[in-house]
Amino acid sequence: MYEQQSHFLLNNILDQLKPEIRRRDLRHFYTRLGANFYAIHSLFHRLYGQREDFEEQLLRLVSVMAGQYIARSDELKALDASRERDHLWFLSQEWVGMALYLDGFAGDLHGLDERVPYLQELGVNMVHVMPILECPRGASDGGYAVNNFRDIDDRAGTLEDLRTLGSDLRRRNMLLTLDVVVNHTSDEHEWARRARQGEQRYQDYYYVFANRDIPDLFEQSMPEVFPETAPGNFTFDEAMNKWVMTVFNTYQWDLNYTNPAVFIEMLDIILFWANQGADILRLDAVAFLWKKIGTTSQNEREAHLILQLFKDCCQVTAPGVLFIAEAIVAPVEIIKYFGEDAVIAKECEIAYNATFMALLWDALATHNAKLLNQSISNLPDKLDRATWLNYVRCHDDIGLGFDDADIRAVGYDPAAHRRFILDYYTGSWADSPARGQAFGRNEKTGDARISGTLASLVGLEAALAAGDADEVQRSIDQILLLHSLILSFGGIPLLYYGDELGTLNNYAYSVDPAKTQDNRWLHRPAYDWQRAELRHQRGSVEQRIFDGLKQLIAVRKSLPALADFNNRELIDVGNPHLFVFTRNDLASPQESVLVVANFSDFPEQFDLNDLRNRGRFTVGELRDAVSGASPEQFNEQLVIPANGFYWLMCSPY
Ligand code: GLC
């Protein structure tokens, strides 16, 4: 948008840019800057307009964007241009991701490069390598406490190794996803060290207070993220003799975004990683970016403005790079991280579908899809140029983040229902085969979340220990059932490393002093590559899961109906055990897919005629795209096996 005041300011800024910037050919940069500058200026002004040095800060912001544009390689600039041409490229059904810890999966970056063929064998073409930046030697929150935002930890490799991995992936048409931990640094980061040495400039990078007055005010309304291991949201720092805000662990210092210098530093870091070849940046803990006394200090309006500003700036310098919002918050809040509008108030193109994830676990424990159906039907449509990251589990705990009103609507009491789910997965429910553990139990609120690998949570660990072949089969069926849903729901499915082999809980973490306090390490496996070889042995658990998933992934990629264009329609078939939806192929409707999932331990049925009468299907024969077979029918009742699923095609005329 053209607007006189901001345009005048932009011209002034351009005149003041250093000669080495002005001399370059920045044509694409300037056209994008012109297009986005009104928004950038407005957002920056809303956040920092009250400061006397506002214009100086804005000049620094533009200089950072220009500097990183100049540093961006021609190869990446060409990729930007091709993604501008095909701007919905990431909505395709062809993308399938996996998140992994580098050390557990492959040792280091060289190792990962060697394991890329394994990922390709499965069909994975987007890799999220969890944090590999310099971090403390002891506890580092799995790398989410960063010492240096611009260098790779020497245990993982070097920046050069990462660039090599990036270009190797690009050659194979695969995507690289990296984290940017935007909310905090470790207490060993240079900014924290200089703050400790008394430098006011760096104390202003954090929330630092001389006494408990302000912290106490904050504490009245701020929840605790790690109540057992890091209660409260502030830590006393002896060197400063002051309190510093630490929402996560005591060694993770929250960055203060009321200071524009922090915003500009972090933008520079985001663009730096874009320039190292990341296609997608996962912005960590974005719900926490703005703190306000009297609130939970989560999902604040300003946190959204910061993300909009990051996006507007990144689009000027590196428009081909996407953002993932890691905001594991209430369903109505998550959707806001896409932004309000795909053009004028955009934020992250991708967001974790934590709601769907939690609901899948609910359906599995209750053997019915009542809450899943209820909650998904209340999920608003997202923006057009935005997509979900659908996952069964990730490296974090599983939180029961569904809505109390939805729980009541299906006839449960919210507190009792959550307690049941927790008991079910932590194995204290008599009939449960799950082997999870409670994480982050909060005695004050009664809240807790769940740790444990997918395989151990669905009962594979117990079944193998008991030598019960039927139960082993049931666990495998459930693993495939859950994946069949994240692969068909609409969005990018994000597998979690180890799940493709049915990896069980890793209890070894408890002897490592840096990990013992955090049972999320139960489900952060170290690969046994010999065991992975069992995927080639017919009939092994590994082979049944790996091949099942591989097949699902291959079929997903072949079905354009599974691309994400808000083309999903939930269908109530009157059977509470079933979760049923269509994925409409907008270009060729006869290629639409009907997804049917059965959460019961028994076969279930529904009336196909009823669907036909409602105009869903015009033609007779149904074919399951996964197996290629026609499913069982009896008197027009479609029969779905226990813990089974179908991706049904209408057979063309
Ligand atoms: C994110 C990460 C999690 C970490 C937290 C604090 O939620 O996924 O592992 O503990 O941020 O950085």
Side-chain angles (χ1 to χ4, degrees), residues 222-237:
M222 275 174 95
E224 295 169 319
V225 179
F226 298 138
E228 293 167 309
T229 50
N233 289 285
F234 294 84
T235 300
F236 185 71
D237 184 75

Side-chain angles (χ1 to χ4, degrees), residues 99-102 127-133 141-146 148-152 162 176-184 266 269-270 272-274 278-285 322-326 352 395-396 494:
L100 51 88
Y101 266 114
L102 182 69
V127 195
H128 171 205
V129 183
M130 279 183 282
I132 47 172
L133 303 191
D141 193 19
Y144 284 97
V146 176
N148 177 355
F149 285 112
R150 290 173 195 270
D151 209 356
I152 304 284
L162 182 83
L176 176 63
T177 301
L178 295 176
D179 280 88
V180 181
V181 184
V182 285
N183 180 67
H184 43 262
M266 203 44 84
I269 289 161
I270 286 175
F272 174 80
W273 288 106
D279 300 283
I280 304 179
L281 294 171
R282 173 190 182 276
L283 305 185
D284 183 61
L322 306 179
F323 288 168
I324 299 178
E326 194 255 343
Y352 276 78
H395 68 291
D396 282 328
L494 186 72

Side-chain angles (χ1 to χ4, degrees), residues 364 477-485 597-599 643-645:
L364 209 69
D477 290 344
Q478 290 190 335
I479 289 173
L480 294 177
L481 170 69
L482 294 178
H483 280 97
S484 79
L485 289 169
N598 178 10
F599 284 93
N643 296 301
F645 62 89

